[in-house]
Amino acid sequence: MKRRAIGIALFLSIAVSAFAQNDLQPLAVVKLNKSETITLKQLKSRATAMEKQVEALGSKQTLTVDQRKQLLDTMIQEKLIVQAANKMGITISDSQVDTAFVNSFAQQLGQQVTESQLSDMIKAQTGKTLAEYIQSSTGMSLADYKANLKNQLTMQQYVLSQKQNDLQKIAATDKEIRDFYDVNKSQFVRSDGMILFLVAAPKGNDSVKAKATVTDLRNQYMKDNSKENSIIADSGKTYGAGTGYIEKSSAMAQNMGWSMDKLVEVFNKNVGYVSPVEENSTQFMFYVVKEKTEAKMLTLSDLAQPGTTITVYAYIKQNLTYQKQMEYLSQAIQQIAKDLDTPANVDRKKTGAELTKLLSW
């Protein structure tokens, strides 16, 4: 019996070792500026991450062999362009990556946050650390996610250096703007809203200090409301402050960390109302009701959001122009990568039936 157990253990050990070696097989070597190998293991990891991202959106998909081949080509293209960028001296710092990372969440939240504040918010809402949240939603570790983001930023910077003049010529036309508005007119409805002056300090590791900070700032404002601008100007590491527009909606209530009943309560306050210092799971805050607006159907000449100077026309133009520029950049990346993808720059180690067999896991 012992001999059989040892035999099984030895067989499993050999099988695991063979599997690991198989995963380390090189699929391609990119050598434009330096030698970088793409292994089967790296491709599997990237494929798993893509499937995880699709799953996070509510559906489930396993990549086909052809899709895995396309993904391999994408990974080769990325390394080619990043190496070309590095050869030109284009580099992206870690601080730039961190800023882009946080900004991507800030756009979803509708407010600026630090990575520490973001981590606290995710912990409060999901019970997961920031690293755990990224892993579960993208299938990538936080470090790998940022490394991939760094590559994307490097690629964009390189393509911009090559296509800057062409990109600046791309803009949405008047007809495109008006056609978009006509087709999507029902979406340009503004709910009841208000402009708030909001001051908040994250609890972090010292909730007592955070509460004292917000209390002191509220006292300053109550004595002299002209201090609003200086409070905003001085905001930074210990607290955040700003003026923003909020709508009466469940999504906005969630973003504010309020219940719908709480949001309705705030909307019932008069202009000029100053709240007491309030607390939620992540921060202390107080707010001032600056202005209130009624629901209406927006025209092209209306302001897209009260408190700003951007009209609906300008808002649509910005978004359509951005979409057209992103489409152009995507096509430019494909073309630049195609031009760089030569036998001198890329050594494809596995092709044809051999590659198909490897990708049929």
Side-chain angles (χ1 to χ4, degrees), residues 57 107 114-115 149 157 169 207 267 286 306 328 349:
L57 295 175
Q107 291 174 4
T114 65
E115 189 164 323
L149 178 58
Q157 191 63 37
K169 298 175 184 176
S207 61
F267 268 85
F286 81 89
Y328 175 81
K349 297 294 186 180

Side-chain angles (χ1 to χ4, degrees), residues 118-182:
L118 175 63
S119 183
D120 289 341
M121 293 171 71
I122 287 175
K123 184 69 173 179
Q125 292 179 18
T126 68
K128 298 177 181 178
T129 64
L130 179 58
E132 290 169 342
Y133 177 77
I134 293 296
Q135 183 73 52
S136 64
S137 59
T138 70
M140 304 169 72
S141 69
L142 181 58
D144 286 344
Y145 184 88
K146 286 189 175 183
N148 183 61
L149 178 58
K150 185 172 186 176
N151 284 341
Q152 299 304 315
L153 293 172
T154 303
M155 291 167 62
Q156 289 178 14
Q157 191 63 37
Y158 177 76
V159 174
L160 284 173
S161 72
Q162 304 295 303
K163 304 289 185 178
Q164 185 70 48
N165 291 336
D166 292 338
L167 194 66
Q168 289 176 345
K169 298 175 184 176
I170 297 173
T173 65
D174 179 72
K175 183 178 185 305
E176 289 172 335
I177 295 166
R178 295 183 183 280
D179 286 349
F180 182 88
Y181 174 78
D182 287 339

Side-chain angles (χ1 to χ4, degrees), residues 67-262:
Q67 288 172 328
R68 290 166 184 166
K69 288 180 179 179
Q70 292 173 8
L71 181 57
L72 174 59
D73 287 339
T74 297
M75 293 173 71
I76 291 171
Q77 291 170 0
E78 289 176 358
K79 286 193 179 296
L80 279 169
I81 296 179
V82 170
Q83 285 194 19
N86 293 157
K87 192 173 182 179
M88 279 187 60
I90 295 174
T91 58
I92 302 296
S93 68
D94 290 341
S95 62
Q96 288 175 297
V97 174
D98 290 340
T99 298
F101 172 74
V102 172
N103 283 347
S104 66
F105 285 92
Q107 291 174 4
Q108 299 173 41
L109 296 169
Q111 64 182 90
Q112 287 297 320
V113 292
T114 65
E115 189 164 323
S116 176
Q117 291 171 329
L118 175 63
S119 183
D120 289 341
M121 293 171 71
I122 287 175
K123 184 69 173 179
Q125 292 179 18
T126 68
K128 298 177 181 178
T129 64
L130 179 58
E132 290 169 342
Y133 177 77
I134 293 296
Q135 183 73 52
S136 64
S137 59
T138 70
M140 304 169 72
S141 69
L142 181 58
D144 286 344
Y145 184 88
K146 286 189 175 183
N148 183 61
L149 178 58
K150 185 172 186 176
N151 284 341
Q152 299 304 315
L153 293 172
T154 303
M155 291 167 62
Q156 289 178 14
Q157 191 63 37
Y158 177 76
V159 174
L160 284 173
S161 72
Q162 304 295 303
K163 304 289 185 178
Q164 185 70 48
N165 291 336
D166 292 338
L167 194 66
Q168 289 176 345
K169 298 175 184 176
I170 297 173
T173 65
D174 179 72
K175 183 178 185 305
E176 289 172 335
I177 295 166
R178 295 183 183 280
D179 286 349
F180 182 88
Y181 174 78
D182 287 339
V183 171
N184 299 279
K185 190 178 295 185
S186 62
Q187 298 181 23
F188 290 94
V189 177
R190 188 170 66 210
S191 303
D192 288 336
M194 60 169 54
I195 296 176
L196 292 183
F197 168 52
L198 178 68
V199 178
K203 292 180 179 178
N205 297 322
D206 194 342
S207 61
V208 173
K209 182 178 180 181
K211 183 177 182 179
T213 297
V214 175
T215 301
D216 178 59
L217 291 169
R218 183 182 182 279
N219 289 339
Q220 289 182 41
Y221 181 86
M222 293 297 291
K223 289 180 181 178
D224 182 3
N225 60 20
S226 68
K227 286 186 175 295
E228 177 180 326
N229 291 334
S230 63
I231 290 174
I232 293 174
D234 293 338
S235 62
K237 292 183 179 180
T238 59
Y239 73 91
T243 302
Y245 177 76
I246 67 170
E247 293 185 339
K248 189 187 289 184
S249 68
S250 57
M252 182 58 69
Q254 185 176 3
N255 283 343
M256 297 294 292
W258 290 338
S259 66
M260 196 61 200
D261 287 342
K262 170 63 178 178

